[in-house]
Amino acid sequence: MQSDFWPYLPTLQRLALALAIGLFVGMEREWRGKEAGLRTFGFGALLGCLGALLGPPYALTALGLLGILVILISVRAILFGRDLELTTSAALLVVGFAGVLAGLGHTLTPTAVAVVTAGLLAWKEPLAGFTGGLSVQELRSAILLAMLAFVIYPALPEEAVDPWGLISPRDSWATVILIAGLGFANYILLKVYGTRGVRVSGFLGGLVNSSIAVVELATLHRRAKHGLGNVVYQGVLLATAGTLVRNAVVFGLLAPRALVAAAASFALLFLPSVAFAVIGQRSDEEKSSDVPIELPSPFSITAALRFGLIFLAITVAGTVAERLLGDAGFYVASLIGGAVSSASTVATAAILTANGTLNPTVAGTGAVLATLTSIGINLTLAARVGADRRLTTRLALALGITVLLGAVGIGIDRLLASSL
C-alpha cells in the first residue's frame, strides 16, 4: 500500500539536517566546556526530528522528554553547587524544536534558527558588554522606537485624511520610523566604533546628523586651540560623505527608481568628499586623531515628533509647490527644506515618487538640491563654530568643488533620463 511506503531519501535528508543543526549549535557549547555539549545537542535535535517523523503525538512526547532532560541538567547543577545552565537549557529546547521542524520537512527555518542560536551563544561577551554600556536614555529610546513601529503605526489610517490628499498619516509615520531607526542604528555604530578617532566619528556622525557632527568637530578644534585642523577637516568631509550615504539609503529603500535617476549626482558628491579627506591626511597630526566626538542619542519622542512635523510640512509644501508651479516649485521647496533637514526632504521626495505624485527624475534632482543646501549649512556651521580662517578656506574649496560636481551630476542624470 502507498501508506506503507517509507520515503528513504527524504527521511535521511531530514535526519541529516537535524543532526547537523544539533552538532552546529552544540559545537559552541562543547567549546565552552558546558555540561550539555556536542553530543547532547545532536541527540536533542535527532529526538525532535524522529518525533516529527512519527507523528504529532510523538513530537510532543519528544519535546517533553527534552524538557525533562533540561530539568535534570538544572538539578545536577544545583546539587554540585554550580550556576544554573539557563542559556544552555534554552538553546537545547530551541534545537529540539528546530529538529521537529526539520522532521516536518522544513529546511530554511530550522537552519536559520540554528545559525541565530549559535550566534547568540558565541556573542555572549560582546552582547553583554554592549548591553551593560547602554544608558537609561538609550534603552528607553530603543523601547520607544519599538512602540512607535509596532503599536502606533498599525493604528494609523492608510488613506489621506484631508480632502486634497496631502496628508497620509501612515506613510508619514512609516517615514518617521525609518529615519529614526536608521539614526538610532547609526548612533549605535558611532557608540561602538566612534572611539577609533575623529575621522570614523565624523563619518558615523554624518550618518546620524551631519549638522551636529560638524558642530562637535568644530568645537573640538576650537577647544584644542586650532590644533586639530587636519583631522577636523577630514572629519567634516567624511561627515558629508556619511550624509550622502544615509540619504542614498533612504532614497533606495523608499523609491529605488528615484535613486537610479539621481545615481550620477550622488556618486559625484560622494567620491570627491572622500577623495579630499584621503588626500588631506597628514602623518604629523595622526596623534590627534584618537579624540572621539560625542553625539546625543538621536531618538526621543520629542525628536520623533519634530521630525514628523518637519516631514509633514515639507511634504505639504513640496506637493502644493509642485501643483502650483510645476517642477520649479518643488525644487525651491527642496532647497528650503534642505536647510532644515535634508533627510526629511529626501524622504519627502521618495514618498511622493512612490505614491506616483512626482516623476523619479524630478524627485532625484530635488533630493540632490536638498543635500547641496545641507552641505552649505554645514560649511557655515564649521566656519562659525571653528573660528579658523585656514580651516574654513580648505573646507570651502573642497566642499565647493564637491557641490559643483554634484551640480554637474544633476545635468548628467537629466540627460540620461531624457535619452531613455
Side-chain angles (χ1 to χ4, degrees):
M1 294 178 61
Q2 183 67 26
S3 59
D4 295 331
F5 173 72
W6 188 263
Y8 295 103
L9 184 58
T11 301
L12 290 175
Q13 289 174 338
R14 296 177 186 184
L15 287 170
L17 176 61
L19 179 60
I21 287 171
L23 294 177
F24 181 72
V25 179
M27 181 170 55
E28 193 278 339
R29 295 289 84 185
E30 186 78 26
W31 180 79
R32 291 186 181 270
K34 300 298 181 180
E35 186 74 21
L38 194 68
R39 292 179 298 171
T40 304
F41 274 80
F43 282 129
L46 283 175
L47 183 63
C49 183
L50 289 172
L53 289 171
L54 293 173
Y58 294 94
L60 293 175
T61 302
L63 293 174
L65 293 173
L66 203 57
I68 293 174
L69 177 61
V70 167
I71 293 173
L72 293 176
I73 292 174
S74 300
V75 170
R76 177 181 173 85
I78 293 173
L79 292 177
F80 283 87
R82 296 196 298 267
D83 294 334
L84 289 176
E85 299 287 347
L86 295 179
T87 303
T88 302
S89 300
L92 187 56
L93 290 174
V94 170
V95 165
F97 276 95
V100 171
L101 288 173
L104 293 174
H106 296 270
T107 55
L108 178 61
T109 302
T111 303
V113 167
V115 172
V116 171
T117 302
L120 290 174
L121 293 172
W123 296 332
K124 173 186 175 181
E125 290 80 7
L127 288 172
F130 172 74
T131 304
L134 286 176
S135 66
V136 174
Q137 179 188 7
E138 292 162 353
L139 186 60
R140 289 174 179 171
S141 295
I143 295 172
L144 178 59
L145 179 60
M147 291 176 60
L148 296 180
F150 301 109
V151 178
I152 297 178
Y153 174 76
L156 295 174
E158 297 183 19
E159 304 297 331
V161 295
D162 64 294
W164 306 279
L166 297 175
I167 302 174
S168 178
R170 180 168 287 196
D171 286 345
S172 299
W173 202 249
T175 308
V176 171
I177 294 171
L178 173 63
I179 300 298
L182 286 174
F184 190 71
N186 294 330
Y187 170 78
I188 297 302
L189 289 175
L190 179 65
K191 186 180 179 68
V192 174
Y193 297 107
T195 53
R196 296 186 179 182
V198 172
R199 299 176 182 88
V200 175
S201 297
F203 179 76
L204 295 176
L207 292 173
V208 179
N209 187 314
S210 61
S211 296
I212 296 179
V214 168
V215 169
E216 287 292 320
L217 288 166
T219 301
L220 277 177
H221 180 54
R222 188 183 63 208
R223 289 175 179 173
K225 306 298 183 183
H226 298 175
L228 295 176
N230 197 56
V231 291
V232 169
Y233 167 78
Q234 292 177 274
V236 172
L237 291 174
L238 291 174
T240 302
T243 299
L244 291 165
V245 171
R246 182 201 62 198
N247 289 350
V249 168
V250 171
F251 226 31
L253 290 175
L254 296 176
R257 290 177 57 200
L259 177 60
V260 172
S265 301
F266 276 108
L268 288 176
L269 283 169
F270 177 79
L271 293 176
S273 60
V274 174
F276 278 117
V278 173
I279 294 171
Q281 184 167 345
R282 296 175 182 173
S283 59
D284 59 343
E285 288 187 357
E286 283 296 310
K287 60 183 180 181
S288 304
S289 64
D290 60 348
V291 182
I293 64 173
E294 297 290 338
L295 269 70
S297 177
F299 193 74
S300 66
I301 188 62
T302 304
L305 293 176
R306 182 170 59 249
F307 177 85
L309 291 174
I310 293 173
F311 172 79
L312 192 60
I314 295 175
T315 301
V316 172
T319 305
V320 172
E322 196 274 336
R323 290 180 182 178
L324 295 177
L325 303 174
D327 296 347
F330 179 75
Y331 295 152
V332 172
S334 297
L335 286 169
I336 297 173
V340 180
S341 171
S342 66
S344 301
T345 308
V346 169
T348 298
I351 288 294
L352 293 178
T353 303
N355 293 340
T357 305
L358 208 60
N359 180 280
T361 302
V362 175
T365 301
V368 174
L369 290 175
T371 305
L372 296 181
T373 304
S374 177
I375 293 174
I377 294 296
N378 289 343
L379 175 60
T380 303
L381 290 173
R384 292 186 59 184
V385 178
D388 182 1
R389 180 175 298 178
R390 183 171 180 272
L391 174 63
T392 302
T393 301
R394 293 182 67 195
L395 285 174
L397 178 61
L399 293 178
I401 294 175
T402 300
V403 169
L404 180 61
L405 289 175
V408 172
I410 292 177
I412 294 174
D413 285 324
R414 298 187 71 85
L415 284 175
L416 291 175
S418 62
S419 63
L420 296 178

